[in-house]
Amino acid sequence: MKTYPEIKKVLVANRGEIAIRLCRAAQEEGLRAVAVYETPDAKNRHVHIADEAVWIGPGPRKDYLDIDRIIWAARKSGSQAVHPGYGFLAENPKLAAACEDAGLVFIGPSASTIQLLGDKTIARNLAEEAGLPTIPGSGILPPGEQGKQAAVEFGEKYGYPVMLKAVAGGGGRGIRRVDTREELSSQIGLAEAEALSAFNDGRLYLEKALIGPRHVEVQILGDTYGNIIHLGARNCSIQRRHQKLVEVAPSLLPKSIEDAVCAAALAYARHVGYINAGTVEFLVDADGKFYFLEINTRLQVEHTVTEVVTGIDIVRRMLRVAAGRELDVSQEAVFCRGFAIEMRINAEDPKNGFAPESGKTVAVYNSPGGPGIRLDGMVYQGYKIPTEYDSLLVKLTVYGFKWDEAVSRLKRALTNFRIVGPKTTIPFYRSLVSEAEFKSGSFDTGYLDRHPELFNYPDQEEQVAKIARLLSAIHHNQKNPFAL
Amino acid sequence: MPIRIKPGDDVKSALAAIRSTDAYFITNTARDLSQSDFKNRILAHTDILVAPEREAAGYFSLEITGGASVHVDMLRKQINPFERLALLRNLMPQTLFQTLCRGVNLFGYRPYPENVIRLTVQEFAKFVDVWRVFDFLNHVPNMIPVFEEVQRAGVFLEPSICFSTGPEHTDEYYVKKAGEIIDVTGQDILLALKNHSGLGTPARIGQLVSSLLNAYPELIIHYHGHNTDGNDVGRIVAAVTAGAKIVDAADHAMTGFFGPPPILTVLDVLQEMEYRAEAIDRDAIIATSDKLKKERPSYAVFESQFKGFDPTVHTHKLPGGAMGSSFEQAVKGGFLDRMPEILMKELPKVHQELGNFWSVTPGSQILWTTAVTHTLSGKRYVNASEDLKRLLLERYGPFPFYRPADEIYEAAFGPSWKTTLVNDCGIEDCPPMDIGAEKKTLEKELGRSADTNELVLYLQHPRDALDFFRFEEEYGKTFVLPPSIWLKDGGFDQGEVIDFTDNMGKLHQIIFSGTQDLNDGSSLNYLYVDHHLEAFLHHAEDSGQPAAVKKELSQSEIAALAEMGEVRASMGGVVVQVPVEVEQKVAEGDTLVVMEAMKMLNSLESAIAGVVSEVAVTKGQQVARGDLLVRVRPLRSKDNTDNP
């Protein structure tokens, strides 16, 4: 049995809201949290919420992606463990391996698990071995003309539309839908070039595209003692160009289907001997047939909804499992009670293709409170939307005992935000939470395409903010310049 | 059961009901409180405040829109005129709303194309139940498109006969005019006797009403007068005694100068004479004024400099609406000492010379400006304004009684005046506007779609409507602010608390915390907005209308600069035409810029001979007083040799 060093300090190898989330969990576990930061992030909140902070370079982005600097920061700060969060190095097996080499605990699955499951084809083969249904796929296409030929044959056999995917893609990137044979022939070259430049790996494969599918995923937790449990399912169907916008727990599927999906995810995790937190993703079609999609070997952005409905702190358990402790929750002790919905409040202009409002300063930030509201944020009054990093301000997670209750609470919470400065996704979400299909909970991944009217939301700024601006102008001019 | 005519009632049966009673009706002319600027300044906030009392008072109608108010709503009060009517309608479902429409000039100062007139009337008729329509030359064809649309909309049409005094203004003339109107409209109308200057004795008014009713016994006469001489109650009593069915008066808390007289006085005087006012609630009239008394001080800055009545109006005949602004101009222009001369000598003379037509918009402005120009320059008719030239060429319509003397034409148009008159006389043809194209332009400017109401506002006042739409986007629905805030002078005190209810009914509190001056000249205002501290940055030159605040050139400075070839705007307005370009040679007296200001077109002429060195404005541009328009450099010897 592997022995574990005692963990007293955890290096949080990330930034923004997830770094704050990790610091909080570490601090609750009685550990010291060490932040890392690049120069543009020097004033960022995670730096101050952590117990210590280590500057790792001028950035932007490259130092957060630099494994050597992360290891250096862990050593320098005397940390015993490294939590990668999501994004950056979270699914890079080299960081996990470097930690192992350096005698540091990597908080997540082993390097070999990350490596293996990060390969979409292997992950899929493992799913088939474990008896999970998979979407008919082509396997990795050979390069060049041969690949094109194989792709066309696949299209003939299973029919269109098909999804063209990059082997190294993920998180919604490197995926495109192809509707005809002609389109397939013309897209393959483009997709290959794109994958090569984005992931340094141009390999592609094809999958049959499902009609009206829901994106459902199952949270998995495993320890080094062979205990593996699931924490129920999440529905992440509302997506924009394959990027999740709204996540819900549980899945909103009929119970029998949800149970089957969770059982399948558990079977998969057991088959691969999964340790620590992970997420098995599925597509569920209109008939309730489900297909394995992929597995994410990390903490997800939307883990909060699962925490809210189960009451189980996933991040704290990630820390404990990594420290060699046994899971303190059995499958029988996991209950999902009620509903949780998470929305990512971003400084973006939804009317302008969700373009980030980089460079703008949050002049006013007031957040909602009261029952059933959880905020995981990095924003504060005076926060400047970085040009270097993402535009997430705060994740809003609401709880309701009934679905309707959660939706109405979400609406209330969105109304209680007051953010002056950048445009945000809040007014768009406000129109979304009032829309009938969303309120019924029957949405699938085609939801946003079916509801372009959601983007016709009214001006987001409240009357009082505008009138305050006028009063300030009246004061400044010593009389009302608009009444002269 | 008292007779109360309500919005949506059938016109024909409502008119029959009015004829059936021996009582008279009262219109509250809130819009026409007069003193010019003062009446236009009353905010929607105040009208909303007294809406329940005015609704309960049982008036025949409330004159709440029309005249300049549509323009001023957007320009100075930053409220959509349609939204204002909708808000009030909601609070006053039983009260007819009345407007004053200047015929083809609608709510503006110059004729609009017929398709614009029709669309505008259609849209306003959704909110306005009584349409008083007039033309300053009593030229019926100028009112016909409005007549037609009002009747089509199924609301009350009230054509006006403008009234004045003098040898031409006989009963015979006015009875004939009423006949001309009825020939066009039929009998199902109200007829306004529009005494905008408050002229004539009570006996004269009583006699005219009798004559009209003798000729047309079924006619419902609505008397409108101003109390400039302090005796409009007398005229009203005479009108009612003679058979007028509806009379105009105003809330007593807002009266006292050149507007209509107090409703309560009219009511009580006629009560004693055993004339009953239909459906009127005396207590509600008093309650309205009790509330308004508290509001009036907030508008004090806009009240006329000269308090009291002016019985000399019978000589100078300025309409109530122009009295305050004429004194205001005299003070600003530094010719207050010349006012007796202007009002008592030159204005009556000019009025007589120009045809003794009715001194009301836009005619009153032409008469006034001409008299002022004559008195100040000592020259008569030679510096004719564009509007005077338009009047002389009968652009507005034919002279009602006689054409001005040839000498006046010669002075205004020069030696070739006869040719000009022969070739270029008559009503202006106003071709239809491509409304679809205008809508596209508006939507492009706004970056969003525009509804029909917004389009109507834009068609009438393109620049000011756009400015208003942008204001509203930036500052929201500000009609929720009381006059004490909207017209705040000198800024807020530290710790000052402003409570208000927004347009959705939410309560808010804003507290002024303080101001921090930054070393770059900008400043930060700190306000607690609903308990949260917020900072507002203002740059040094940052103000709503920077030019208006920044440049404080006096009239004499502006005149001095003009002598040096630097032509600046002497008042705020819009550039209508720039007939010169850079490097063009100009002679002394050549027109450099034509401006529209204070409802008038004015040509600004070069005071020197020279060459245009700079044109600082373009057609359609809004300028503030003191803004540079055109620069002319004096002729140099080189210029002469270049162009012998």
Side-chain angles (χ1 to χ4, degrees), chain B residues 575-591:
Chain B
V575 176
V576 178
Q577 211 192 328
V578 189
V580 294
E581 40 192 72
V582 173
E583 289 304 311
Q584 185 179 326
K585 263 172 116 175
V586 290
E588 182 186 336
D590 281 0
T591 299

Side-chain angles (χ1 to χ4, degrees), chain B residues 367-405:
Chain B
L367 295 172
W368 159 255
T369 310
T370 306
V372 170
T373 311
H374 289 184
T375 308
L376 299 187
S377 69
K379 296 180 207 158
R380 306 190 81 243
Y381 295 111
V382 287
N383 299 315
S385 70
E386 289 303 309
D387 282 312
L388 174 57
K389 286 179 183 168
R390 287 165 51 82
L391 175 83
L392 291 170
L393 293 174
E394 298 185 291
R395 290 278 187 272
Y396 298 101
F399 284 99
F401 305 115
Y402 52 87
R403 180 181 272 176

Side-chain angles (χ1 to χ4, degrees), chain B residues 51 86 124-125 153 165 184 192 198 264 310 345 354 360-361 446 462 468 484 491 501 506 544 561 598 616 621:
Chain B
F124 272 99
T165 49
V184 173
L264 198 60
D310 182 14
K345 291 207 177 104
L354 288 179
V360 63
T361 302
L446 288 177
F468 162 68
S484 56
T501 307
K506 270 183 93 168
L561 288 169
M598 306 287 281
Q621 188 175 330

Side-chain angles (χ1 to χ4, degrees), chain A residues 363-366 381 415 418 420 459 461-484, chain B residues 41 76 78 471 473-478 485-486 488-492 503 508 512 515 523 525 529 532-534 536 538 542-545:
Chain A
V364 177
Y365 176 71
N366 295 317
Q381 203 148 304
T415 311
R418 207 137 103 63
V420 178
D459 185 3
E461 201 177 18
E462 283 186 52
Q463 286 294 325
V464 64
K466 296 183 174 192
I467 287 179
R469 189 184 306 137
L470 174 73
L471 295 181
S472 185
I474 292 175
H475 182 73
H476 177 73
N477 290 290
Q478 298 287 292
K479 58 178 61 174
N480 187 343
F482 304 101
L484 292 179
Chain B
R41 293 297 186 155
R76 312 251 183 267
Q78 309 296 346
F471 169 90
E473 223 150 86
E474 180 80 5
Y475 299 104
K477 307 280 186 189
T478 55
I485 300 300
W486 182 253
K488 186 81 182 177
D489 195 17
F492 298 93
N503 62 316
H508 299 287
F512 255 83
T515 299
S523 59
N525 287 335
V529 180
H532 294 286
L533 188 64
E534 295 182 21
F536 295 86
H538 296 274
D542 177 20
S543 69
Q545 296 176 343

Side-chain angles (χ1 to χ4, degrees), chain A residues 306-357:
Chain A
T306 300
E307 292 188 328
V308 166
V309 291
T310 60
I312 294 168
D313 189 315
I314 297 167
V315 182
R316 288 179 71 167
R317 278 165 188 80
M318 289 178 84
L319 294 170
R320 292 185 206 164
V321 167
R325 287 160 65 186
E326 191 173 358
L327 266 180
D328 58 353
V329 191
S330 68
Q331 189 64 63
E332 293 70 37
V334 176
F335 297 100
C336 285
R337 191 177 162 88
F339 296 84
I341 311 171
E342 187 232 45
M343 283 181 161
R344 304 178 191 191
I345 313 295
N346 293 338
E348 291 173 355
D349 182 5
K351 286 186 183 179
N352 184 19
F354 291 85
E357 295 273 286

Side-chain angles (χ1 to χ4, degrees), chain B residues 179-199:
Chain B
E180 278 177 40
I181 289 171
I182 291 167
D183 284 348
V184 173
T185 63
Q187 287 272 2
D188 295 331
I189 55 163
L190 307 160
L191 184 82
L193 184 54
K194 188 171 174 355
N195 193 2
H196 35 77
S197 304
L199 302 179

